[in-house]
């Protein structure tokens, strides 16, 4: 399971998509009137000609149905194809660079945050990646990988250490981290949703999917608690990828109340670059330190949803377990 940094459930952030072409028409007025009260031919000012804008793009959809129908896997009537949306999401991000912010927060009855889960993952256009883990109660960990291998840097109170890293799955990094929201896209949409509409934020239009339906995997995971006040919002970019996910719910039992919040944000799509950190040994002089061949450095997945595997998390009664053991979560840590 998971969520996004800075993404509010009532809105999304993004770059401008819909371009409104404004034609500036300069109209000159008349000069001072002649003595008889009427302008003479010489006094009449001809309006400046309007330049021909030339061919224009197809006009942006105007009706709500047209706007929704422009998104992959979303019909004009507001029906979402979950597997089609997931496939479009993975397919688009697998061929673009991006930055993924992945956060979890829980708070007890007194409002104090009891657990934090923070990861920032940058995937470069060449398939290199840099994962920054700054989870509550753990040391800062940076993992860098490219075609030459992977290395991990651990920053602890007693010092800093760098060592070769083994990523436990194969496949392109862009595909692996795109799959991090498999549970949210597949389970949330398949379980049901309350509304689908087109919203505009900062000049860019998104399909917004809102659901109050609790996927069965969540009460199975937190089996010692009752799940209340579930709400999830997904924002889909026009290109078909899920720009942001935000969901929250409350866990209750006789003695406890725990608020849980997840956020995922895919940002800087097509703009992210990843530089090889200075702490990574030079590949040409230190190839023996590489933990595995390049084929094992980056994570696995397919351009579409797994045909048989379920995105469900492994059930556990422990709400402090973050996140459930899914393939994406395991590989994200490596």
């Amino acid at each position: 399971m998971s969520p996004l940094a800075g993404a509010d459930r009532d809105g999304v952030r993004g770059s401008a998509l819909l371009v409104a072409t404004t034609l500036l028409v300069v109209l000159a007025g008349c000069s001072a009137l002649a003595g008889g009260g009427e302008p003479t031919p010489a006094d009449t000012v001809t309006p400046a000609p309007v330049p021909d804008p030339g061919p224009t793009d197809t006009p942006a959809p105007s009706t709500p149905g047209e706007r929704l129908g422009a998104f992959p896997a979303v019909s004009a009537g507001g029906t979402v194809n979950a597997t089609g949306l997931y496939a479009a999401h993975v397919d688009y991000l697998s061929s673009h660079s991006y930055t993924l912010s992945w956060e979890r927060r829980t708070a007890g009855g007194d409002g104090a945050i009891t657990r934090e889960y923070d990861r920032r993952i940058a995937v470069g256009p060449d398939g290199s990646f840099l994962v920054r883990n700054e989870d509550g109660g753990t040391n800062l960990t940076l993992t860098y990988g490219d075609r030459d291998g992977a290395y991990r840097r651990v920053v602890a109170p007693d010092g800093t250490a760098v060592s070769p890293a083994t990523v436990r799955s194969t496949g392109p990094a862009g595909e692996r981290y795109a799959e991090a929201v498999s549970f949210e896209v597949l389970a949330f949409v398949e379980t049901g949703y309350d509304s689908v509409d087109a919203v505009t934020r900062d000049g860019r239009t998104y399909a917004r999917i809102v659901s109050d339906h609790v996927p069965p995997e969540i009460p199975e995971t937190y089996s010692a608690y009752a799940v209340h006040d579930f709400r999830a919002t997904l924002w889909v970019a026009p290109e078909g990828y899920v720009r942001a996910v935000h969901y929250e719910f409350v866990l209750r039992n006789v003695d406890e109340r725990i608020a849980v919040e997840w956020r995922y944000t895919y940002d800087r799509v097509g703009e992210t670059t990843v530089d090889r950190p200075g702490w990574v040994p030079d590949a040409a002089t230190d190839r023996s330190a590489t933990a595995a061949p390049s084929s094992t450095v980056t994570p696995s997945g397919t351009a579409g949803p797994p045909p048989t595997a379920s995105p469900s998390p492994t059930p556990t009664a422990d709400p402090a377990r973050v996140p459930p053991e899914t393939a994406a979560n395991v590989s994200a840590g490596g």
Side-chain angles (χ1 to χ4, degrees):
M1 298 188 297
S2 48
L4 283 178
D8 182 58
R9 73 186 180 202
D10 295 323
V12 291
R13 305 173 181 84
S15 58
L17 171 70
L18 302 181
V19 179
T21 305
T22 304
L23 301 180
L24 178 61
V25 181
V26 181
L27 300 177
C30 294
S31 63
L33 297 181
E38 295 292 335
T40 65
D43 294 326
T44 302
V45 179
T46 303
V50 179
D52 181 2
T56 60
D57 295 332
T58 302
S62 56
T63 69
E66 289 175 338
R67 289 197 293 271
L68 281 178
F71 291 86
V74 182
S75 74
T79 300
V80 183
N81 181 319
T83 56
L85 175 59
Y86 179 68
H89 169 82
V90 175
D91 182 64
Y92 189 84
L93 291 183
S94 294
S95 59
H96 291 77
S97 65
Y98 58 85
T99 300
L100 167 60
S101 299
W102 183 355
E103 301 175 299
R104 179 189 191 263
R105 299 284 184 272
T106 63
D110 61 356
I113 294 176
T114 57
R115 171 75 65 162
E116 296 183 4
Y117 179 75
D118 290 283
R119 288 184 179 176
R120 186 172 178 84
I121 302 163
V123 178
D126 58 352
S128 59
F129 64 91
L130 180 64
V131 180
R132 178 187 178 91
N133 289 355
E134 201 166 4
D135 302 345
T138 64
N139 298 322
L140 170 63
T141 303
L142 302 171
T143 303
Y144 170 82
D146 58 22
R147 62 175 60 90
D148 295 317
Y151 287 87
R152 181 168 294 125
R153 182 174 187 251
V154 179
V155 181
D158 57 350
T160 299
V162 176
S163 62
T166 300
V167 176
R168 289 168 284 179
S169 54
T170 60
E175 189 174 287
R176 168 176 54 168
Y177 296 117
E179 292 175 335
V181 291
S182 61
F183 170 72
E184 285 74 14
V185 175
L186 293 173
F188 287 12
V189 176
E190 287 287 5
T191 302
Y193 40 88
D194 297 281
S195 66
V196 181
D197 59 353
V199 296
T200 301
R201 294 294 182 273
D202 298 329
R204 186 168 170 79
T205 301
Y206 298 87
R208 180 177 60 186
I209 305 168
V210 179
S211 175
D212 293 338
H213 297 261
V214 182
E217 293 85 355
I218 289 181
E220 289 171 2
T221 298
Y222 304 108
S223 58
Y225 299 82
V227 178
H228 296 269
D229 304 327
F230 177 86
R231 186 175 178 86
T233 307
L234 290 75
W235 290 268
V236 182
E239 296 83 358
Y241 67 91
V242 178
R243 167 72 170 81
V245 179
H246 173 222
Y247 63 102
E248 57 190 351
F249 51 91
V250 174
L251 301 172
R252 295 178 184 270
N253 63 17
V254 176
D255 301 318
E256 292 181 281
R257 179 189 183 278
I258 302 173
V260 181
E261 181 179 14
W262 280 98
R263 291 181 185 271
Y264 280 104
T265 305
Y266 288 91
D267 199 7
R268 296 186 53 78
V269 176
E271 301 176 1
T272 298
T273 58
V274 178
D275 297 325
R276 188 180 179 93
W279 49 264
V280 175
D282 181 70
T285 59
D286 195 23
R287 291 187 183 275
S288 62
T290 304
S294 58
S295 61
T296 65
V297 170
T298 53
S300 68
T302 60
T308 57
S310 169
S312 305
T314 302
T316 175
D318 179 9
R321 187 178 184 207
V322 184
E325 289 287 356
T326 64
N329 295 337
V330 169
S331 61

